[in-house]
Amino acid sequence: MTAPDYPLPTLGGYETYQLAQIATFIADRLTRHLASSRGRGGRTARATAVRDLTAAATALDTAAGATEPTPASLLPRPLDTATYTAARELISSGPRSADVVSLAGSGRRGWAVVGHVPGIGPVGAAVGTRDIADALRVHLLTRPAAELAPWAVSQTPVPVPTLPRQVDLAAFVEQLDPSQATDRAVARALRGMDRRTDAAIRGRFHGVDLDAPPVIRPPAPPRPATAPVRRPRRAVVRSAPRRFMIQRPAAPIVPNTSAGP
């Protein structure tokens, strides 16, 4: 299946959209955890990433209707080059593409989404269930390229850390960004977990409709460059210098007193 880079005419169902957004949130936090393990941000950044992953995994299980927690090894994660190559050999695709394939044929567990997005290059995901794989396939075909960077294929496998059994979901919600679609999808899936978390969601996402359908707003076309308008130069008419005449006052009239009567 292929689709052009932009514009993209169709969207998946609302539940599919939610699953893909939460999975993308997880992929982003896995990237952050990997960066912190390499010395960027230290222990604080690593602990924050683990907390976010644990909360997002709970959100994903809730949104997917899972009856038991998904093992960390089957959480959505970007594909590495070796897995991407193994999966790519089973399919063929065009300029913008996304296909789902079972990894069982290569001796791995789960499913792979293998695709290509102009501006990013090879993209893909390894997930535990077919439902999430299908959601991410639609996601890769329909979302703007700028949103798909977390799914760029990595040179080596992205490790998934050991996650705690539970975290403070209310504190996690306080750090979410209401302007991000991924964060809104995670918050939506965490509603109903407990009253404290619900209160945190209401406060953090005040005025935000978490049930609003997804909307793609194409980027505004660049304004054509226009040459600067040259106004015609006004002719300057220089008038001849004015000549001023100095008017002398008239001589006073003196009565003639020398004449006789």
Side-chain angles (χ1 to χ4, degrees), residues 13 25 58 62 89 106 114 141 160 187 207 243 256:
F25 182 97
T58 300
T62 302
E89 292 176 355
S106 61
V114 180
L141 288 175
V160 180
R243 295 181 178 179
N256 186 1

Side-chain angles (χ1 to χ4, degrees), residues 125-144:
V127 301
T129 69
R130 179 63 190 258
D131 288 343
I132 298 175
D134 288 337
L136 282 174
R137 174 187 165 275
V138 174
H139 193 68
L140 293 175
L141 288 175
T142 58
R143 300 306 297 176

Side-chain angles (χ1 to χ4, degrees), residues 8-22:
L8 306 169
T10 61
L11 288 171
Y14 186 57
E15 298 303 325
T16 295
Y17 168 81
Q18 295 293 327
L19 284 174
Q21 290 289 8
I22 298 171

Side-chain angles (χ1 to χ4, degrees), residues 3-81:
D5 182 51
Y6 217 87
L8 306 169
T10 61
L11 288 171
Y14 186 57
E15 298 303 325
T16 295
Y17 168 81
Q18 295 293 327
L19 284 174
Q21 290 289 8
I22 298 171
T24 301
F25 182 97
I26 291 174
D28 177 75
R29 293 317 192 266
L30 283 172
T31 302
R32 297 188 189 187
H33 181 269
L34 180 61
S36 67
S37 300
R38 294 175 176 174
R40 299 180 185 176
R43 291 184 178 180
T44 301
R46 189 157 54 252
T48 299
V50 170
R51 180 203 65 187
D52 290 0
L53 284 168
T54 305
T58 300
L60 186 66
D61 287 338
T62 302
T67 57
E68 57 184 26
T70 299
S73 61
L74 293 181
L75 285 178
R77 60 206 180 277
L79 283 181
D80 59 276
T81 303

